[in-house]
Amino acid sequence: MLFPEGVTIDGLTGAVTPATGRYVKKLSALRDLYERPEQVDAYIAAHGDVDAYDVIEYRPDGSDICFGTTIMYPGRIGREYFLTRGHFHAKTDRGEIYYTQSGEGVLLLHSRSGETRSVAMTPGVCAFIPPEWAHRSVNTGPEKLVFVWMCGIDAGHDYGEVATRGMRDLVVEQDGRPAIVANPKYRV
Ligand code: F6R
Ligand code: ZN
């Protein structure tokens, strides 16, 4: 039987208490998502294989819903920023909510039918991610970007399509500011 409980989320560190699981994603695991993967090699040669982001989950066995935090570290790779892998949900009728707690970033999205959108990730913004929209978070600020995500526990991840084709848009640094541009390497 499931029982209610209060879970504390620290909006600055992303700590979830109690949590049921967590993982860390190293920069090297994201190498081939960048437009110039050799710039990731150069970054790692200079700074080491740093943590790009952590995910902390509250995923109770037997529940229909789950939530957690993603803590993205700041960093730049060439003209791009530290980013998450990006995915569609494996279960195609499942959406998600991203509620930004601290830091600044951009949520990039594209639909199966080819439309693109972005949502500014600033504290207090709750992003609605409908089903069938690929989503990737990008930390464009100098601090950690911390957000809470909530979705159906069975939503799952389909990473394959974004890994092979890329996201349709990129967030790049232009004149000292983040700008959204079409991804020149997107595979139609
Ligand atoms: C779950 C979800 C987030 C991401 C997390 C890491 O559906 O969207 O919990 O999984 O922000 O991003 P990915 O999974 O794209 O590496
Ligand atoms: Zn998701």
Side-chain angles (χ1 to χ4, degrees):
M1 183 175 173
L2 288 163
F3 291 95
E5 89 178 306
V7 176
T8 303
I9 293 183
D10 185 318
L12 281 179
T13 65
V16 176
T17 313
T20 59
R22 65 181 297 152
Y23 67 84
V24 177
K25 197 53 69 183
K26 293 277 182 193
L27 181 59
S28 57
L30 308 169
R31 180 184 186 276
D32 296 328
L33 301 174
Y34 282 92
E35 61 174 350
R36 307 246 329 255
E38 71 279 7
Q39 292 178 329
V40 176
D41 302 335
Y43 187 102
I44 291 172
H47 306 283
D49 191 8
V50 298
D51 295 349
Y53 58 95
D54 301 336
V55 176
I56 309 179
E57 301 175 330
Y58 180 78
R59 188 179 280 276
D61 274 345
S63 172
D64 58 333
I65 53 174
C66 62
F67 58 86
T69 56
T70 301
I71 302 119
M72 298 185 67
Y73 298 97
R76 285 253 311 279
I77 301 292
R79 63 174 190 157
E80 293 184 276
Y81 301 89
F82 277 22
L83 44 73
T84 59
R85 286 167 287 183
H87 57 271
F88 286 96
H89 289 157
K91 211 162 169 69
T92 54
D93 61 351
R94 295 294 191 267
E96 189 160 9
I97 293 161
Y98 277 12
Y99 184 44
T100 300
Q101 301 280 278
S102 58
E104 51 195 282
V106 176
L107 176 60
L108 282 178
L109 308 106
H110 69 233
S111 70
R112 294 260 186 215
S113 50
E115 289 139 298
T116 59
R117 291 285 188 282
S118 67
V119 177
M121 299 179 84
T122 49
V125 173
C126 195
F128 167 56
I129 304 172
E132 297 281 44
W133 283 78
H135 41 290
R136 165 181 286 167
S137 319
V138 182
N139 183 354
T140 57
E143 309 290 343
K144 281 194 293 225
L145 172 64
V146 176
F147 62 93
V148 176
W149 47 266
M150 297 162 244
C151 59
I153 204 157
D154 58 355
H157 297 92
D158 170 5
Y159 290 110
E161 185 160 332
V162 172
T164 50
R165 301 173 77 182
M167 290 294 291
R168 286 181 178 263
D169 284 341
L170 301 180
V171 184
V172 299
E173 201 256 4
Q174 247 173 33
D175 304 322
R177 275 190 240 112
I180 296 165
V181 298
N183 177 2
K185 291 173 87 177
Y186 179 75
R187 296 208 187 104
V188 184

